[in-house]
Structure formats: C-alpha cells, structure tokens
Amino acid sequence: MKTIIEPFRIKAVEPITLTTEEDRRGFLKKAHHNLFLLPSSQVLIDLLTDSGTGAMSSAQWAAIMTGDESYAGSPSFYRFEAAVKNLMPFKHVLPTHQGRAAEAMLMALYGGEGKMVPNNTHFDTTRANVEASGAIAQDFVIAAGLDPANEHPFKGNMDIDALKTFMAANHERVPLVMLTITNNAGGGQPVSLENIRAVAAVARAYAKPFYIDGCRFAENAWFIKLREPGQADRSIPDIVRDCFAETDGMTMSAKKDGLGNIGGWLALNDDAKAEQARAHLIRTEGFPTYGGLAGRDLDALAVGLEEVVDENYLAYRVRSNAYIVERLDALGVPVVKPAGGHAVFVDARAWLNHIDPMHYPGQALAVALYEAGGIRSCEIGTVMFGRQKDGTEQRAPMDLVRLAMPRRTYTQSHADYIVEVFEEITRRKASLKGLRIRKEPAMLRHFTCEFEPMTA
Ligand SMILES: *Cc1c(COP(=O)(O)O)cnc(C)c1O
C-alpha cells in the first residue's frame, strides 16, 4: 500500500474549538497580532512548537500510575536510566526538568570566560547557556545547510574542514565539541553517521570531549537509515547506539524524542565531571534519582524511549511533513527542501516579496495563516532576530515561517486542511500587508511585542 497511515488508534480526544474567520480577526486584534499572546483555546491547529506538545500513548499513561515518588532511589529512576542506557550507553545519567537545565549544567562543567564552543548550529537555549558562561558559541554547518532550495540529504552536517581550521587556530580555548541532531535551528535537518564520526575524530585529535545535543536522535537515525549508504537494513536502536558510541556525553530535551510532555537529561562517561554535575543537579534541580522530574514523568519517558524508535512511528512522522512540503511545493509556495524531521519551513520573504523585510513578511504570513485557517505557526526571521544589541534594527538573514508538528497529535485530514489554508493564502497573497511594531521589550521581543498591521 502506498498510503502511510497513522500507526495508532485514538483512545482519548481533546476537542478543538472551531472558530470563524470573523472570530479570529477579533482575537488577533486583542492579541496585538502576536500569536504568542493568543490563548491556545483560540487556535485550531497549533504548530507553534513540537516541544512537549505530543500525545502520550496508553502505555505511557499506564506507566504514569506506576510512578514512584520516593525522594531517593525510586524504581521509576532505574527504569528511566535503563531505557536511556539501552540506546545511549553512558555511565552516568542525570535527569533534568528540560533540555536547557542539562545545557546549563554542561556549561557549568565546561564553559567559562574566553572559551569557544563549536557546533553545527547551536539551538537558541544552547547558545544562551554557552554565552551566559562567558564563552563564545560558533556554528559550522555545511554551506548547503544554509541554502533553502539545496536538496542535500544531510543538511545538518558539520563542515569538517571549517571545524579543523577552527580547531587548529583555537583548540586551546575549546573545552568541548558539540553537534546537534537533528539540526533544529537549521530546519530539523539530519546529520549523517559518517559526519558524526568525522566530528568525533577531530575532537579526539585534540583530546577534547565530544557531546551530542540529541533532542531528535530518533528522527535523525531514521534519516540515516533512509539516506545513508549501507544503513538501510539496520535497526533504529543500532543506528542510535552508533551515533553515540564515539561521544563522551549528551544533552537531551525529552519533550522532543523522549515522547514526553516534560523532561530532559545530561549523560556522560567522565566520573569526575559526573560528580561535579551531581552537585550542580542537587543545587538547581533535585536529588540525582529524580532531578527536575516527578517519578511518574520518569516512567512515562522510559516507555516513550521504547516507542520513539519504532519504525512505523518514524515512517509516519517523517512522511507527514514530507507530504505537506510536497503539496506546498506543487502550489508554488517556496519551502525548505528536503522536509526536515519535525517541521515545515516556508520562505515568507521569497513568497510575499511585495512586503519589505523590515515590515516582517514572516509575521504577515503567520498572521494570515491564523486569520484564514486558525493555524498557529512561528515567525523565524526579522521579528525574532532583527533587533541588534545597540538597539538598531536589521533584516535577519531569512524570513521563515515554521510549522512545527507535535508528535502523534494531528492526522492526515489536518495535514490536508493545512494545505487548503495555503491554497486560500495563494489567492489572497497580493493583498497581504506588512506590520509595524508598536511596543516591544528590550530583549526576546518576539514573545511579547505588539504589532499593528500596515494599511498601505
Ligand atoms: C528544545 C531544544 C533544546 C532545549 O530543550 P528544552 O527542553 O526546551 O529546554 C535544546 N536543543 C535543541 C536542539 C532543542 O530542540
């Protein structure tokens, strides 16, 4: 059969409140045209993020009931630890409430004034934690990774030559080498096993620890199986184990490929660093056998880690994004290709080329998707990155709109509906107008700023 069906039945439903376009115009006004300011009850299809928004399985909900809330030595921790070690056999596993807490701990171990941390692309919380420690975050993704139309199979790969040149010049300032799989800030594009091994070899040549930010390790392994020569017949757990075999540790947001609504961890082999990390964990998150989580969360993650490497799940997951990308491409909507693992990216600057980048074509498209269809997406462009440290404003390198797909949450008819909303926008595109920012905070303005639509 060529139809890839959702490999699950629905056991509990969460109703969506249906609204009209007229309702949504009113909601937009109240939210100052900032989709972050909308109550989620006013959203039909919420594609703001894939983080923590997925549906848990009946087995995960059952595991919640077996959660043991003992302060120390809970069996929930041992089940969680075994599930992590089954895929990533690190010596020490420290649970945290989210990925960023693991990153803060990692930087407490390795960061500091004047240091430099290379990565394919630092995710924004990773960058913030590196910089908060006083270190400099450097990105070395391959050139194809920055070109929306380039169909390279592993657009998340690190540029190995650039990394080698950088290490030759700066290795004394480098405390560790990092790699993010998939490359979230670069569109959820995968990294090949060959590239992971090449990065490991560079780190080893300089005797530097190598850590993977593994938030989407299962989606990355699925792309390796599909696209990397010699990997097609291997199991996903085997590919995952290979990805981590040459690393010294990892950070993880379990809100992604942990299939949980909350959680994360830091895992590592170095005994002395682990000792230091445990002290940090106790001070900031909690006792090492629960970290920042309840016992029931740890049990849900233990089950989620078994489910996320299921090939039927991964085929459905990745196929549903590719389907939307293909349909949008056929409509003439400029999309980032090939489709990434967790989101669909639209090049709003190219599509709404009658709107000046300083009037936020990405925000204009995000607002139009909400107005026409109740879809909440996220601008990743001049609204998010345009404000400079000196207070001036510059266009971002790109004005993208991200439609992030929650895991196991929406169905094929939702995908078809999303495409239909784009069809409608294709019809009204020439009449879409840019926006002006009326009020903004000093930092991270995209979350709370207020917009005003332009009239001309
Ligand atoms: C989400 C994410 C993080 C941060 O994790 P949180 O759980 O949101 O704190 C770090 N790195 C990447 C690649 C992510 O996608």
Side-chain angles (χ1 to χ4, degrees), residues 90-132:
F90 294 114
K91 257 174 99 177
H92 309 279
V93 182
L94 288 77
T96 59
H97 80 283
Q98 286 197 204
R100 64 198 69 188
E103 294 168 350
M105 201 146 59
L106 184 68
M107 285 305 122
L109 302 180
Y110 290 102
E113 209 61 52
K115 297 190 174 166
M116 299 173 101
V117 179
N119 203 325
N120 45 356
T121 314
H122 288 83
F123 179 66
D124 39 10
T125 59
T126 323
R127 184 180 311 279
N129 275 300
V130 169
E131 289 176 353

Side-chain angles (χ1 to χ4, degrees), residues 98-100 103 123 125 180 184 213 215-216 253 255-256:
Q98 286 197 204
R100 64 198 69 188
E103 294 168 350
F123 179 66
T125 59
T180 307
N184 182 2
D213 173 343
C215 295
R216 295 178 183 80
S253 168
K255 300 173 76 171
K256 285 53 172 270

Side-chain angles (χ1 to χ4, degrees), residues 100-237:
R100 64 198 69 188
E103 294 168 350
M105 201 146 59
L106 184 68
M107 285 305 122
L109 302 180
Y110 290 102
E113 209 61 52
K115 297 190 174 166
M116 299 173 101
V117 179
N119 203 325
N120 45 356
T121 314
H122 288 83
F123 179 66
D124 39 10
T125 59
T126 323
R127 184 180 311 279
N129 275 300
V130 169
E131 289 176 353
S133 82
I136 298 166
Q138 297 266 0
D139 295 342
F140 295 106
V141 71
I142 55 169
L146 300 171
D147 172 5
N150 191 314
E151 302 225 27
H152 191 291
F154 291 103
K155 287 172 84 168
N157 279 358
M158 183 91 91
D159 182 334
I160 299 297
D161 288 336
L163 179 67
K164 281 182 180 164
T165 308
F166 167 79
M167 290 299 282
N170 301 293
H171 63 93
E172 282 167 2
R173 295 173 65 185
V174 174
L176 82 168
V177 174
M178 290 190 76
L179 188 67
T180 307
I181 67 171
T182 59
N183 190 21
N184 182 2
Q189 298 289 335
V191 179
S192 70
L193 194 50
E194 183 188 23
N195 192 256
I196 293 173
R197 289 177 173 149
V199 174
V202 176
R204 212 178 304 117
Y206 289 94
K208 303 294 180 186
F210 172 34
Y211 277 71
I212 283 185
D213 173 343
C215 295
R216 295 178 183 80
F217 70 86
E219 290 167 13
N220 199 82
W222 179 247
F223 283 119
I224 287 173
K225 184 178 169 87
L226 290 186
R227 298 179 185 171
E228 192 156 344
Q231 301 297 324
D233 296 330
R234 304 193 55 219
S235 78
I236 296 298

